[in-house]
Amino acid sequence: MSGPSGFRSAFRRWRADRPFWGGLLLALGGGWILLTMKASLKVVLHVGMQGVAGYLLPGLMVLLGLLTLFNPAQRLFYSITGVLVTLGTWVTSNLGGFFLGLLLGVVGSCLAFGWLPDQEPRRSRRQRRKEAALAPPLP
């Protein structure tokens, strides 16, 4: 593979074999929630389990998103666990990162859950029109 077009086509093939957008959104949701947490580690340890859970659940979201990307065979387990962990951040992490991280995590988990590996590739509208124009007319 030489040049950017070779890398691009290889990335597209890799992306087509896994629930890419679901895993990415789940990981981004966890990252966003981690960014909205402002307490230092000393304060978190002083607060106790509630403070630790505020960092643990978004960290698990990031981990589950990455596992969905790199191990798509287990996507059902990762997506169900991801949506449960994401809903847990509502209580533990600033309302799920002020709703944005919560929304990204739930949508990403649902996309990963609904992804089917054996679907035929999508065709663009232009490609469908071209194929219809080349097909013989029906009698």
Side-chain angles (χ1 to χ4, degrees), residues 42-133:
K42 285 176 73 173
V43 172
V44 168
L45 292 177
H46 182 69
V47 170
M49 282 306 294
Q50 179 72 13
V52 171
Y55 284 99
L56 182 66
L57 293 181
L60 279 172
M61 285 174 65
V62 172
L63 179 67
L64 289 168
L66 292 175
L67 285 171
T68 301
L69 288 175
F70 294 109
N71 188 10
Q74 301 297 321
R75 68 179 166 75
L76 294 176
F77 174 74
Y78 297 145
S79 63
I80 291 171
T81 307
V83 79
L84 293 175
V85 167
T86 300
L87 292 174
T89 63
W90 172 268
V91 178
T92 62
S93 306
N94 296 333
L95 297 175
F98 304 112
F99 302 110
L100 183 61
L102 180 79
L103 185 66
L104 286 172
V106 168
V107 168
S109 294
C110 291
L111 284 174
F113 185 82
W115 179 78
L116 295 174
D118 53 356
Q119 281 184 328
E120 66 180 59
R122 293 182 62 179
R123 296 174 309 180
S124 68
R125 184 177 294 164
R126 181 180 297 157
Q127 188 177 12
R128 288 190 306 246
R129 284 182 187 160
K130 189 185 298 183
E131 290 172 0

Coordinates of all heavy atoms in Angstrom, one line a residue, residues 42-133:
K42 N -7.1 13.3 45.3 CA -7.2 13.4 46.7 C -8.6 13.6 47.2 O -9.0 13.0 48.2 CB -6.3 14.5 47.3 CG -4.8 14.2 47.2 CD -3.9 15.4 47.6 CE -4.1 15.5 49.1 NZ -3.1 16.6 49.7
V43 N -9.3 14.5 46.5 CA -10.7 14.7 46.9 C -11.6 13.5 46.6 O -12.4 13.1 47.4 CB -11.3 15.9 46.1 CG1 -12.7 16.1 46.3 CG2 -10.5 17.2 46.5
V44 N -11.3 12.8 45.5 CA -12.1 11.6 45.1 C -11.9 10.5 46.2 O -12.8 9.9 46.6 CB -11.7 11.1 43.7 CG1 -12.2 9.8 43.4 CG2 -12.1 12.1 42.7
L45 N -10.7 10.3 46.6 CA -10.4 9.3 47.6 C -11.0 9.7 48.9 O -11.4 8.8 49.7 CB -8.9 9.0 47.7 CG -8.3 8.4 46.5 CD1 -6.8 8.2 46.6 CD2 -8.9 7.1 46.1
H46 N -11.0 10.9 49.2 CA -11.6 11.4 50.5 C -13.2 11.2 50.5 O -13.7 10.9 51.5 CB -11.3 12.9 50.7 CG -11.8 13.4 52.0 ND1 -11.3 12.9 53.2 CD2 -12.8 14.3 52.3 CE1 -11.9 13.6 54.2 NE2 -12.9 14.4 53.7
V47 N -13.8 11.4 49.3 CA -15.2 11.3 49.2 C -15.6 9.9 49.4 O -16.6 9.5 49.9 CB -15.7 11.9 47.9 CG1 -17.2 11.6 47.6 CG2 -15.5 13.4 47.9
G48 N -14.9 9.0 48.8 CA -15.1 7.5 48.9 C -15.6 6.9 47.6 O -15.2 7.3 46.5
M49 N -16.4 5.9 47.7 CA -16.8 5.1 46.6 C -17.6 5.9 45.6 O -17.5 5.6 44.4 CB -17.6 3.9 47.0 CG -16.8 2.7 47.6 SD -15.5 2.2 46.5 CE -16.4 1.5 45.1
Q50 N -18.4 6.8 46.0 CA -19.1 7.7 45.0 C -18.1 8.4 44.1 O -18.4 8.5 42.9 CB -20.0 8.6 45.8 CG -20.8 9.5 44.9 CD -21.9 8.8 44.2 OE1 -22.3 7.7 44.5 NE2 -22.5 9.5 43.2
G51 N -17.1 9.0 44.7 CA -16.1 9.7 43.9 C -15.3 8.8 43.0 O -15.0 9.1 41.8
V52 N -15.0 7.6 43.5 CA -14.2 6.6 42.6 C -15.1 6.1 41.5 O -14.7 6.0 40.4 CB -13.7 5.4 43.5 CG1 -13.2 4.3 42.6 CG2 -12.7 5.9 44.5
A53 N -16.4 5.9 41.7 CA -17.3 5.5 40.7 C -17.4 6.6 39.6 O -17.7 6.2 38.4 CB -18.7 5.1 41.3
G54 N -17.3 7.8 40.0 CA -17.4 8.9 39.0 C -16.3 8.8 38.0 O -16.4 9.3 36.9
Y55 N -15.1 8.2 38.3 CA -14.1 8.0 37.4 C -14.1 6.6 36.8 O -13.6 6.4 35.7 CB -12.7 8.3 38.0 CG -12.4 9.8 38.2 CD1 -12.6 10.4 39.4 CD2 -12.0 10.5 37.2 CE1 -12.4 11.7 39.6 CE2 -11.7 11.9 37.3 CZ -11.9 12.4 38.6 OH -11.7 13.8 38.7
L56 N -14.5 5.7 37.6 CA -14.5 4.3 37.1 C -15.5 4.0 36.0 O -15.1 3.4 35.0 CB -14.8 3.4 38.3 CG -14.8 1.9 38.0 CD1 -13.4 1.4 37.7 CD2 -15.3 1.1 39.2
L57 N -16.7 4.5 36.1 CA -17.7 4.2 35.0 C -17.3 4.8 33.7 O -17.4 4.2 32.7 CB -19.1 4.7 35.5 CG -19.7 3.9 36.7 CD1 -21.0 4.4 37.0 CD2 -19.7 2.4 36.4
P58 N -16.9 6.1 33.6 CA -16.5 6.6 32.3 C -15.2 5.9 31.8 O -15.1 5.7 30.5 CB -16.2 8.1 32.6 CG -16.8 8.4 33.8 CD -17.0 7.2 34.6
G59 N -14.4 5.5 32.7 CA -13.2 4.7 32.2 C -13.6 3.4 31.6 O -13.1 3.0 30.6
L60 N -14.6 2.8 32.2 CA -15.2 1.6 31.6 C -15.8 1.8 30.3 O -15.8 1.0 29.4 CB -16.2 0.9 32.6 CG -15.6 0.1 33.7 CD1 -16.7 -0.3 34.7 CD2 -14.9 -1.1 33.2
M61 N -16.5 3.0 30.1 CA -17.1 3.3 28.8 C -16.0 3.4 27.8 O -16.2 2.9 26.6 CB -17.8 4.6 28.9 CG -19.1 4.6 29.7 SD -19.9 6.2 29.9 CE -20.2 6.7 28.2
V62 N -14.9 4.1 28.1 CA -13.8 4.2 27.1 C -13.3 2.8 26.7 O -13.1 2.4 25.6 CB -12.7 5.1 27.6 CG1 -11.5 5.0 26.7 CG2 -13.2 6.5 27.8
L63 N -13.1 2.0 27.8 CA -12.6 0.6 27.6 C -13.6 -0.2 26.7 O -13.1 -0.9 25.8 CB -12.3 -0.1 28.9 CG -11.8 -1.5 28.8 CD1 -10.4 -1.5 28.2 CD2 -11.8 -2.1 30.2
L64 N -14.8 -0.2 27.0 CA -15.8 -0.9 26.3 C -15.9 -0.5 24.8 O -16.1 -1.3 23.9 CB -17.2 -0.9 26.9 CG -17.3 -1.7 28.3 CD1 -18.6 -1.3 29.0 CD2 -17.2 -3.1 28.0
G65 N -15.8 0.8 24.6 CA -15.8 1.4 23.2 C -14.6 0.8 22.4 O -14.7 0.4 21.3
L66 N -13.4 0.8 23.1 CA -12.2 0.3 22.4 C -12.3 -1.2 22.1 O -11.9 -1.7 21.1 CB -11.0 0.7 23.2 CG -10.6 2.2 23.2 CD1 -9.5 2.4 24.1 CD2 -10.4 2.7 21.8
L67 N -12.9 -1.9 23.1 CA -13.0 -3.4 22.9 C -14.0 -3.7 21.8 O -13.9 -4.6 21.1 CB -13.5 -4.0 24.2 CG -12.4 -4.2 25.3 CD1 -13.1 -4.6 26.6 CD2 -11.4 -5.1 24.9
T68 N -15.1 -2.8 21.7 CA -16.0 -3.0 20.6 C -15.3 -2.8 19.2 O -15.6 -3.6 18.3 CB -17.2 -2.0 20.7 OG1 -17.8 -2.2 22.0 CG2 -18.2 -2.2 19.6
L69 N -14.4 -1.9 19.2 CA -13.7 -1.6 17.9 C -12.7 -2.8 17.6 O -12.6 -3.2 16.4 CB -12.9 -0.3 18.0 CG -13.7 0.9 18.0 CD1 -12.8 2.1 18.2 CD2 -14.5 1.1 16.7
F70 N -12.0 -3.3 18.6 CA -10.9 -4.2 18.3 C -11.3 -5.7 18.5 O -10.5 -6.6 18.2 CB -9.7 -3.9 19.1 CG -9.1 -2.5 18.7 CD1 -9.2 -1.4 19.5 CD2 -8.5 -2.4 17.5 CE1 -8.7 -0.2 19.1 CE2 -8.0 -1.2 17.1 CZ -8.1 -0.1 17.9
N71 N -12.5 -5.9 19.1 CA -13.0 -7.3 19.2 C -14.5 -7.3 18.9 O -15.3 -7.5 19.8 CB -12.7 -7.8 20.7 CG -13.0 -9.3 20.8 OD1 -13.3 -10.0 19.9 ND2 -13.0 -9.7 22.1
P72 N -14.8 -7.2 17.6 CA -16.3 -7.0 17.3 C -17.1 -8.3 17.5 O -18.3 -8.2 17.5 CB -16.2 -6.6 15.8 CG -14.9 -7.0 15.3 CD -14.0 -7.0 16.5
A73 N -16.4 -9.4 17.7 CA -17.2 -10.7 17.9 C -18.0 -10.6 19.2 O -19.0 -11.3 19.3 CB -16.2 -11.9 17.9
Q74 N -17.5 -9.9 20.1 CA -18.2 -9.8 21.4 C -19.0 -8.5 21.6 O -19.3 -8.0 22.7 CB -17.2 -9.9 22.6 CG -16.4 -11.1 22.6 CD -17.2 -12.4 22.8 OE1 -18.1 -12.3 23.6 NE2 -16.9 -13.4 22.1
R75 N -19.4 -7.9 20.5 CA -20.1 -6.6 20.5 C -21.4 -6.6 21.3 O -21.7 -5.6 21.9 CB -20.3 -6.1 19.1 CG -21.4 -7.0 18.4 CD -21.7 -6.5 17.0 NE -22.4 -7.6 16.3 CZ -23.7 -7.8 16.5 NH1 -24.4 -7.2 17.3 NH2 -24.3 -8.8 15.8
L76 N -22.1 -7.7 21.3 CA -23.4 -7.7 22.1 C -23.1 -7.5 23.6 O -23.8 -6.7 24.2 CB -24.1 -9.0 21.8 CG -24.7 -9.2 20.4 CD1 -25.3 -10.6 20.2 CD2 -25.6 -8.1 20.0
F77 N -22.2 -8.3 24.1 CA -21.9 -8.1 25.5 C -21.3 -6.7 25.8 O -21.8 -6.1 26.8 CB -20.8 -9.2 25.9 CG -20.3 -9.0 27.3 CD1 -21.1 -9.3 28.4 CD2 -19.1 -8.5 27.6 CE1 -20.7 -9.1 29.7 CE2 -18.6 -8.3 28.9 CZ -19.4 -8.6 29.9
Y78 N -20.4 -6.2 25.0 CA -19.9 -4.9 25.2 C -20.9 -3.8 25.1 O -20.9 -2.8 25.9 CB -18.7 -4.6 24.2 CG -17.6 -5.5 24.3 CD1 -16.9 -5.9 23.2 CD2 -17.1 -6.0 25.6 CE1 -15.8 -6.8 23.3 CE2 -16.1 -6.9 25.6 CZ -15.4 -7.3 24.5 OH -14.3 -8.1 24.6
S79 N -21.9 -3.9 24.2 CA -22.9 -2.9 24.0 C -23.9 -2.9 25.1 O -24.3 -1.8 25.6 CB -23.5 -3.0 22.6 OG -24.2 -4.2 22.5
I80 N -24.3 -4.1 25.6 CA -25.2 -4.1 26.7 C -24.6 -3.6 28.0 O -25.2 -2.8 28.7 CB -25.8 -5.6 26.9 CG1 -26.7 -5.9 25.7 CG2 -26.5 -5.7 28.2 CD1 -27.1 -7.4 25.7
T81 N -23.4 -4.0 28.2 CA -22.6 -3.5 29.4 C -22.4 -2.0 29.3 O -22.5 -1.3 30.2 CB -21.3 -4.3 29.5 OG1 -21.5 -5.7 29.5 CG2 -20.6 -3.9 30.8
G82 N -22.1 -1.6 28.0 CA -21.9 -0.2 27.8 C -23.1 0.7 28.1 O -23.0 1.8 28.7
V83 N -24.2 0.3 27.7 CA -25.4 1.1 28.0 C -25.8 1.1 29.5 O -26.2 2.1 30.0 CB -26.6 0.6 27.1 CG1 -27.3 -0.6 27.6 CG2 -27.6 1.8 26.9
L84 N -25.5 0.0 30.2 CA -25.8 0.0 31.6 C -24.8 0.9 32.3 O -25.2 1.6 33.3 CB -25.7 -1.5 32.1 CG -26.8 -2.4 31.6 CD1 -26.6 -3.8 32.1 CD2 -28.2 -1.9 32.1
V85 N -23.5 0.8 32.0 CA -22.5 1.7 32.6 C -22.8 3.1 32.3 O -22.7 4.0 33.1 CB -21.1 1.2 32.1 CG1 -20.1 2.3 32.5 CG2 -20.7 -0.1 32.7
T86 N -23.2 3.4 31.0 CA -23.5 4.8 30.6 C -24.7 5.3 31.4 O -24.6 6.5 31.9 CB -23.8 4.8 29.1 OG1 -22.7 4.3 28.4 CG2 -24.1 6.2 28.7
L87 N -25.7 4.5 31.6 CA -26.8 5.0 32.4 C -26.4 5.2 33.9 O -27.0 6.0 34.6 CB -28.0 4.0 32.3 CG -28.6 4.0 30.9 CD1 -29.7 2.9 30.9 CD2 -29.2 5.3 30.6
G88 N -25.4 4.4 34.4 CA -24.9 4.6 35.7 C -24.2 6.0 35.9 O -24.1 6.5 37.0
T89 N -23.7 6.5 34.8 CA -23.0 7.8 35.0 C -23.9 8.9 35.2 O -23.5 10.0 35.6 CB -22.2 8.1 33.7 OG1 -23.0 8.3 32.6 CG2 -21.1 7.1 33.4
W90 N -25.2 8.7 35.0 CA -26.2 9.8 35.3 C -26.1 10.2 36.8 O -26.2 11.3 37.1 CB -27.6 9.2 35.0 CG -28.7 10.0 35.4 CD1 -29.4 10.0 36.6 CD2 -29.3 11.1 34.7 NE1 -30.4 10.9 36.6 CE2 -30.4 11.6 35.5 CE3 -29.1 11.6 33.4 CZ2 -31.2 12.6 35.1 CZ3 -29.9 12.7 33.0 CH2 -30.9 13.2 33.8
V91 N -25.9 9.2 37.6 CA -25.8 9.4 39.1 C -24.4 9.8 39.5 O -24.3 10.6 40.4 CB -26.3 8.1 39.8 CG1 -26.2 8.3 41.3 CG2 -27.7 7.8 39.4
T92 N -23.4 9.2 39.0 CA -22.1 9.3 39.5 C -21.2 10.4 38.9 O -20.3 10.8 39.5 CB -21.3 8.0 39.3 OG1 -21.2 7.7 38.0 CG2 -22.0 6.9 40.1
S93 N -21.5 10.9 37.7 CA -20.6 11.7 37.0 C -21.3 13.0 36.4 O -21.4 13.1 35.2 CB -19.9 11.0 35.9 OG -19.3 9.8 36.3
N94 N -21.7 13.9 37.2 CA -22.2 15.2 36.7 C -23.3 15.0 35.7 O -23.3 15.5 34.6 CB -21.1 16.1 36.1 CG -20.1 16.5 37.1 OD1 -20.4 16.6 38.3 ND2 -18.9 16.7 36.6
L95 N -24.3 14.2 36.0 CA -25.5 13.9 35.1 C -25.0 13.4 33.8 O -25.5 13.7 32.7 CB -26.3 15.2 34.9 CG -27.0 15.7 36.1 CD1 -27.7 17.0 35.8 CD2 -28.0 14.7 36.7
G96 N -24.0 12.5 33.9 CA -23.5 11.9 32.6 C -22.8 12.8 31.7 O -22.9 12.8 30.5
G97 N -21.9 13.7 32.3 CA -21.2 14.6 31.5 C -22.1 15.7 31.0 O -21.9 16.1 29.8
F98 N -23.0 16.2 31.8 CA -24.0 17.2 31.4 C -24.8 16.7 30.2 O -24.9 17.5 29.2 CB -23.3 18.5 31.2 CG -22.6 19.0 32.4 CD1 -21.2 19.1 32.4 CD2 -23.2 19.3 33.6 CE1 -20.5 19.5 33.5 CE2 -22.6 19.7 34.7 CZ -21.2 19.8 34.7
F99 N -25.2 15.5 30.2 CA -26.1 14.9 29.2 C -25.4 14.5 27.9 O -25.8 13.6 27.2 CB -27.3 15.7 28.9 CG -28.2 16.0 30.1 CD1 -28.3 17.3 30.6 CD2 -28.9 15.0 30.6 CE1 -29.1 17.6 31.7 CE2 -29.7 15.3 31.8 CZ -29.8 16.6 32.3
L100 N -24.3 15.2 27.5 CA -23.7 15.0 26.3 C -23.0 13.6 26.3 O -23.1 12.8 25.3 CB -22.7 16.1 25.9 CG -22.0 15.9 24.6 CD1 -23.0 15.9 23.4 CD2 -21.0 17.0 24.4
G101 N -22.2 13.3 27.3 CA -21.5 12.0 27.4 C -22.5 10.9 27.5 O -22.3 9.8 27.0
L102 N -23.6 11.1 28.3 CA -24.6 10.1 28.4 C -25.3 9.8 27.1 O -25.5 8.7 26.7 CB -25.7 10.6 29.4 CG -26.9 9.7 29.7 CD1 -26.5 8.7 30.7 CD2 -28.0 10.5 30.2
L103 N -25.6 10.8 26.3 CA -26.2 10.7 25.0 C -25.3 9.9 24.0 O -25.7 9.0 23.3 CB -26.6 12.0 24.4 CG -27.4 12.0 23.1 CD1 -28.7 11.4 23.3 CD2 -27.5 13.4 22.6
L104 N -24.0 10.4 24.0 CA -23.0 9.7 23.1 C -22.9 8.2 23.5 O -22.8 7.3 22.6 CB -21.7 10.4 23.2 CG -21.5 11.7 22.5 CD1 -20.2 12.4 22.9 CD2 -21.7 11.6 21.0
G105 N -22.8 7.9 24.8 CA -22.7 6.5 25.2 C -23.8 5.7 24.9 O -23.7 4.5 24.4
V106 N -25.0 6.2 25.1 CA -26.2 5.4 24.8 C -26.4 5.2 23.3 O -26.7 4.0 22.8 CB -27.5 6.0 25.4 CG1 -28.8 5.4 24.9 CG2 -27.4 5.9 26.9
V107 N -26.2 6.2 22.5 CA -26.3 6.1 21.1 C -25.3 5.1 20.5 O -25.5 4.3 19.7 CB -26.3 7.4 20.4 CG1 -26.1 7.3 18.9 CG2 -27.5 8.2 20.7
G108 N -24.0 5.3 21.0 CA -22.9 4.4 20.6 C -23.2 2.9 20.9 O -23.0 2.0 20.1
S109 N -23.7 2.7 22.1 CA -24.0 1.3 22.5 C -25.1 0.7 21.7 O -25.1 -0.4 21.3 CB -24.4 1.3 24.0 OG -23.4 1.6 24.8
C110 N -26.1 1.5 21.4 CA -27.3 1.1 20.5 C -26.8 0.8 19.1 O -27.2 -0.2 18.5 CB -28.4 2.1 20.5 SG -29.2 2.2 22.1
L111 N -25.9 1.6 18.6 CA -25.4 1.4 17.2 C -24.5 0.1 17.2 O -24.6 -0.7 16.2 CB -24.5 2.5 16.8 CG -25.2 3.8 16.3 CD1 -24.2 4.9 16.1 CD2 -26.1 3.5 15.1
A112 N -23.7 -0.1 18.2 CA -22.9 -1.4 18.3 C -23.8 -2.6 18.4 O -23.6 -3.6 17.8 CB -21.9 -1.3 19.5
F113 N -24.9 -2.5 19.2 CA -25.8 -3.6 19.4 C -26.5 -3.9 18.1 O -26.7 -5.1 17.7 CB -26.8 -3.3 20.5 CG -27.7 -4.4 20.8 CD1 -27.3 -5.4 21.7 CD2 -29.0 -4.5 20.3 CE1 -28.1 -6.5 22.0 CE2 -29.8 -5.6 20.6 CZ -29.4 -6.6 21.4
G114 N -26.9 -2.9 17.3 CA -27.7 -3.2 16.1 C -26.8 -3.5 14.9 O -27.4 -3.8 13.8
W115 N -25.5 -3.4 15.0 CA -24.7 -3.7 13.8 C -24.7 -5.2 13.5 O -24.6 -6.1 14.3 CB -23.2 -3.3 14.1 CG -22.3 -3.5 13.0 CD1 -22.1 -2.8 11.9 CD2 -21.3 -4.6 13.0 NE1 -21.1 -3.3 11.1 CE2 -20.6 -4.4 11.8 CE3 -21.0 -5.6 13.8 CZ2 -19.6 -5.2 11.4 CZ3 -20.0 -6.5 13.4 CH2 -19.3 -6.3 12.2
L116 N -24.8 -5.5 12.2 CA -24.8 -6.8 11.7 C -23.6 -7.1 10.8 O -23.5 -6.3 9.8 CB -26.1 -7.1 10.9 CG -27.4 -7.1 11.7 CD1 -28.6 -7.3 10.8 CD2 -27.4 -8.1 12.8
P117 N -22.8 -8.1 11.1 CA -21.6 -8.2 10.3 C -21.8 -8.8 8.9 O -20.9 -8.6 8.0 CB -20.8 -9.2 11.1 CG -21.8 -10.0 11.9 CD -22.9 -9.0 12.2
D118 N -22.9 -9.4 8.6 CA -23.0 -10.1 7.3 C -23.9 -9.3 6.4 O -24.4 -9.9 5.4 CB -23.6 -11.5 7.5 CG -24.8 -11.6 8.3 OD1 -25.3 -10.5 8.8 OD2 -25.4 -12.7 8.5
Q119 N -24.1 -8.1 6.6 CA -24.9 -7.3 5.6 C -24.1 -7.0 4.4 O -22.9 -6.8 4.5 CB -25.3 -5.9 6.3 CG -26.4 -6.0 7.2 CD -26.8 -4.7 7.7 OE1 -26.0 -3.8 7.9 NE2 -28.1 -4.5 8.0
E120 N -24.8 -6.9 3.3 CA -24.1 -6.5 2.1 C -23.8 -5.0 2.1 O -24.5 -4.2 2.8 CB -24.9 -6.8 0.8 CG -26.1 -6.0 0.7 CD -26.9 -6.4 -0.6 OE1 -27.2 -7.6 -0.7 OE2 -27.1 -5.6 -1.5
P121 N -22.7 -4.6 1.5 CA -22.3 -3.1 1.6 C -23.4 -2.2 1.0 O -24.0 -2.6 0.0 CB -21.0 -3.1 0.8 CG -20.6 -4.4 0.6 CD -21.7 -5.3 0.8
R122 N -23.5 -1.1 1.6 CA -24.5 -0.1 1.1 C -24.0 0.5 -0.2 O -22.8 0.7 -0.5 CB -24.7 1.0 2.1 CG -25.3 0.5 3.4 CD -25.5 1.6 4.3 NE -26.4 2.6 3.7 CZ -26.8 3.7 4.3 NH1 -26.3 4.0 5.5 NH2 -27.6 4.6 3.7
R123 N -25.0 0.7 -1.1 CA -24.7 1.3 -2.4 C -25.2 2.7 -2.4 O -26.3 3.0 -1.9 CB -25.3 0.5 -3.5 CG -24.7 -0.9 -3.6 CD -25.4 -1.7 -4.6 NE -26.9 -1.6 -4.4 CZ -27.8 -2.2 -5.1 NH1 -27.5 -2.9 -6.1 NH2 -29.1 -2.0 -4.8
S124 N -24.5 3.6 -3.0 CA -25.0 5.0 -3.1 C -26.1 5.1 -4.1 O -26.4 4.2 -4.9 CB -23.8 5.9 -3.6 OG -23.5 5.6 -4.9
R125 N -26.9 6.2 -3.9 CA -28.0 6.4 -4.8 C -27.6 6.5 -6.3 O -28.2 6.0 -7.2 CB -28.7 7.7 -4.4 CG -30.0 8.0 -5.2 CD -30.7 9.2 -4.7 NE -31.1 9.0 -3.4 CZ -31.5 10.0 -2.5 NH1 -31.4 11.2 -2.9 NH2 -31.9 9.7 -1.3
R126 N -26.4 7.1 -6.5 CA -25.9 7.3 -7.9 C -25.6 5.9 -8.4 O -25.9 5.6 -9.6 CB -24.7 8.1 -7.9 CG -24.1 8.3 -9.2 CD -22.8 9.2 -9.2 NE -23.2 10.5 -8.7 CZ -22.3 11.3 -8.1 NH1 -21.1 11.0 -8.0 NH2 -22.7 12.5 -7.7
Q127 N -25.1 5.0 -7.6 CA -24.7 3.7 -8.1 C -26.0 2.8 -8.4 O -26.1 2.1 -9.4 CB -23.9 2.9 -7.1 CG -23.3 1.6 -7.5 CD -22.4 1.0 -6.5 OE1 -22.4 1.5 -5.3 NE2 -21.7 0.0 -6.9
R128 N -27.0 3.0 -7.6 CA -28.3 2.3 -7.8 C -29.0 2.8 -9.1 O -29.5 2.0 -9.8 CB -29.2 2.5 -6.6 CG -28.8 1.7 -5.4 CD -29.9 1.7 -4.3 NE -30.3 3.1 -4.0 CZ -30.1 3.6 -2.8 NH1 -29.5 3.0 -1.8 NH2 -30.5 4.9 -2.6
R129 N -28.9 4.1 -9.3 CA -29.5 4.6 -10.5 C -28.8 4.1 -11.8 O -29.4 3.8 -12.8 CB -29.5 6.2 -10.5 CG -30.5 6.8 -9.6 CD -30.4 8.3 -9.7 NE -31.2 8.9 -8.7 CZ -31.1 10.1 -8.3 NH1 -30.1 10.9 -8.8 NH2 -32.0 10.6 -7.4
K130 N -27.5 4.1 -11.7 CA -26.7 3.6 -12.8 C -27.0 2.1 -13.1 O -27.2 1.7 -14.3 CB -25.2 3.7 -12.5 CG -24.3 3.4 -13.7 CD -22.8 3.5 -13.3 CE -22.4 4.8 -12.8 NZ -21.0 4.9 -12.5
E131 N -27.1 1.3 -12.1 CA -27.5 -0.1 -12.2 C -28.9 -0.3 -12.8 O -29.1 -1.1 -13.6 CB -27.4 -0.9 -10.9 CG -25.9 -1.0 -10.4 CD -25.9 -1.6 -9.0 OE1 -26.9 -1.9 -8.4 OE2 -24.7 -1.8 -8.5
A132 N -29.8 0.6 -12.4 CA -31.2 0.5 -12.9 C -31.2 0.9 -14.4 O -32.0 0.4 -15.2 CB -32.1 1.4 -12.1
A133 N -30.4 1.9 -14.8 CA -30.3 2.3 -16.2 C -29.7 1.3 -17.1 O -30.1 1.1 -18.2 CB -29.6 3.6 -16.3

